[in-house]
Amino acid sequence: CESCKQPVPGDCPVVYADRAGYSRQWHPACFVCCRCAEPLVDLIYFWKSGAAWCGRHYCESLRPRCAGCDEIIFSEDYQQVEGLAWHTKHFACLECETLLTGKPFALANASLLCTTCSQSRV
């Protein structure tokens, strides 16, 4: 098995990943996403950089994910702060929904707050 390096008994089912080549095999329980360890045996997998990826993490390796709606951001027009990204329309105060592009804001636990809402929480 490519993952656990244990032998695969002849009567045990194995997983072959077409994109990895048929010389590599896994126990079904060992064929998991390299980022989150989600079992991939019954899912569509992606092969990148010599490893299997689930769809969620493969997409995140290509494009950022919006901290507001949890969807992949395909536009080049988005806001990024401290390693987090938002669609421009989701870069807004969590409390009052004021758009924050070009305005002062506070970021706490991945939540955006305008200065007014931030001060009222104190």
Side-chain angles (χ1 to χ4, degrees):
C1 174
E2 285 291 316
S3 182
C4 72
K5 307 300 184 202
Q6 298 298 312
V8 180
D11 61 345
C12 180
V14 295
V15 173
Y16 290 100
D18 206 20
R19 295 175 191 108
Y22 284 100
S23 63
R24 301 168 91 178
Q25 61 185 9
W26 292 260
H27 294 102
C30 293
F31 190 62
V32 298
C33 173
C34 66
R35 290 276 310 274
C36 68
E38 177 179 17
L40 298 174
V41 72
D42 292 324
L43 300 176
I44 293 173
Y45 73 92
F46 297 84
W47 191 258
K48 179 181 174 186
S49 303
W53 297 65
C54 68
R56 178 179 184 87
H57 289 113
Y58 175 75
C59 290
E60 284 179 3
S61 77
L62 303 175
R63 302 289 311 157
R65 185 173 294 277
C66 179
C69 71
D70 199 40
E71 296 293 324
I72 293 294
I73 301 171
F74 292 104
S75 170
E76 295 301 322
D77 182 29
Y78 63 93
Q79 300 296 316
Q80 192 163 9
V81 178
E82 294 184 18
L84 298 172
W86 288 265
H87 290 104
T88 303
K89 67 183 179 184
H90 296 145
F91 193 70
C93 178
L94 181 66
E95 299 285 329
C96 69
E97 300 181 6
T98 299
L99 290 178
L100 297 173
T101 303
K103 297 179 182 173
F105 62 89
L107 178 64
N109 299 325
S111 296
L112 295 166
L113 294 171
C114 68
T115 52
T116 305
C117 292
S118 175
Q119 291 170 358
S120 68
R121 279 191 165 192
V122 177

